[in-house]
Amino acid sequence: MKKDTSNKQDRQEYFVIDFVHIFKSVWHRIWVVILAGIIAGGLGFSYARFIVTPMYSSSLMLYVNNSSSITGGKFSFNASELTAAQELVETYTVVLTSRTTLTQIAEDAGVADKYTYPELYSMIKAGSVNDTEVLRVTVTSSDYEEAARIAESITECFPGILADVINGCDMTVVDYPIENSQKVSPYITRYTAVAMIIGALAALIVLVVLALLDDTIHDEDYLLKTYDYPILAKVPNLVGGTEKQYAYYYQKKNVTKE
């Protein structure tokens, strides 16, 4: 018994996409894509410039060492002690961002009533500098003076807290924090560029969808590519316009008006 495949073939032909038609349709309206990109870019710029709160940061660096390596008032390291100090950087980072440590730092900086522990935790980033035994701590805030004040409290409170938690370890301040009035975010150029790309892509997608949904017969090439029927005659446009316009469309337009 043979299966009826006529419906399946018709369905496959129905979903054939004319990429040439889509390209031409989008190209004729490319100004829409450009305009949408410009408008979206302007909105992104305005959002980053006037709405997003600018953020500032202040950084400090701490040198991790073992107090047992101090000899005659000088630090003396061998390879094993240096490796141990590098591994301790991660441990020190955990101690720094703990609730007890940040609570004491917030009280010393005078921001205990302003920020909760999760908020203060999100403001502080710490990590090793190029996998060395140097720990960099960066404090980010909407107030550059406040960021420097919190960072200064870290240099004053953290070494003492660390000495109480981990025996035989010490820390030296390599670079003290300073007030930095240069904002670190938002990146206005990035906001503008991303908004322009999103706006242009959105307009492009809309044009492609409209082209896919457009089943209007525009010229004889569309008939020849879509159907197997020959064209017996072509009615010219006697009303006006280009040669590729058909009188059928104008007749339909007139009927609609009536």
Side-chain angles (χ1 to χ4, degrees):
M1 182 177 180
K2 295 183 179 180
K3 295 182 179 180
D4 186 8
T5 59
S6 59
N7 293 333
K8 185 181 295 184
Q9 292 176 353
D10 294 340
R11 190 179 299 110
Q12 290 176 352
E13 293 177 357
Y14 180 81
F15 286 104
V16 170
I17 299 176
D18 188 353
F19 290 102
V20 176
H21 167 65
I22 294 175
F23 176 79
K24 289 181 178 179
S25 178
V26 172
W27 181 253
H28 288 318
R29 297 174 177 85
I30 194 65
W31 62 270
V32 177
V33 178
I34 298 174
L35 182 61
I38 294 175
I39 295 175
L43 293 176
F45 173 84
S46 301
Y47 177 77
R49 181 66 178 82
F50 302 108
I51 298 178
V52 179
T53 302
M55 304 299 291
Y56 307 88
S57 66
S58 181
S59 300
L60 61 127
M61 288 193 294
L62 304 169
Y63 190 84
V64 177
N65 56 72
N66 292 316
S67 59
S68 59
S69 62
I70 302 177
T71 304
K74 297 182 179 180
F75 292 102
S76 176
F77 286 96
N78 54 40
S80 60
E81 291 172 342
L82 185 61
T83 302
Q86 292 173 348
E87 294 176 351
L88 282 174
V89 169
E90 295 183 2
T91 304
Y92 290 178
T93 302
V94 174
V95 176
L96 172 62
T97 55
S98 65
R99 183 181 296 273
T100 302
T101 304
L102 291 185
T103 300
Q104 185 171 340
I105 291 173
E107 292 176 354
D108 184 77
V111 295
D113 297 333
K114 185 176 181 180
Y115 299 108
T116 62
Y117 167 71
E119 291 173 341
L120 192 60
Y121 179 87
S122 64
M123 294 168 59
I124 298 175
K125 304 297 181 184
S128 174
V129 179
N130 298 327
D131 296 327
T132 63
E133 64 276 13
V134 178
L135 175 67
R136 179 191 297 274
V137 182
T138 301
V139 181
T140 305
S141 173
S142 58
D143 185 350
Y144 69 91
E145 294 180 349
E146 182 181 76
R149 189 166 65 252
I150 296 174
E152 183 66 27
S153 297
I154 293 175
T155 62
E156 295 176 355
C157 300
F158 186 50
I161 297 173
L162 188 65
D164 295 336
V165 175
I166 303 176
N167 296 325
C169 292
D170 194 9
M171 177 174 290
T172 304
V173 179
V174 177
D175 194 6
Y176 286 89
I178 60 174
E179 294 183 358
N180 184 10
S181 59
Q182 296 293 328
K183 62 181 180 180
V184 295
S185 68
Y187 300 101
I188 297 179
T189 303
R190 183 182 301 176
Y191 271 82
T192 304
V194 172
M196 289 183 65
I197 294 174
I198 293 176
L201 286 178
L204 183 62
I205 292 174
V206 171
L207 291 179
V208 170
V209 172
L210 292 177
L212 291 173
L213 297 177
D214 184 15
D215 56 355
T216 304
I217 299 175
H218 295 277
D219 51 31
E220 62 272 18
D221 292 336
Y222 176 82
L223 293 174
L224 293 174
K225 293 179 180 179
T226 307
Y227 304 99
D228 294 331
Y229 305 109
I231 298 177
L232 300 179
K234 175 182 175 182
V235 179
N237 181 12
L238 302 178
V239 180
T242 61
E243 295 181 355
K244 291 186 177 180
Q245 292 176 324
Y246 294 93
Y248 167 78
Y249 297 109
Y250 288 89
Q251 180 66 26
K252 183 177 180 181
K253 184 177 181 181
N254 294 332
V255 172
T256 303
K257 287 183 178 180
E258 295 176 359

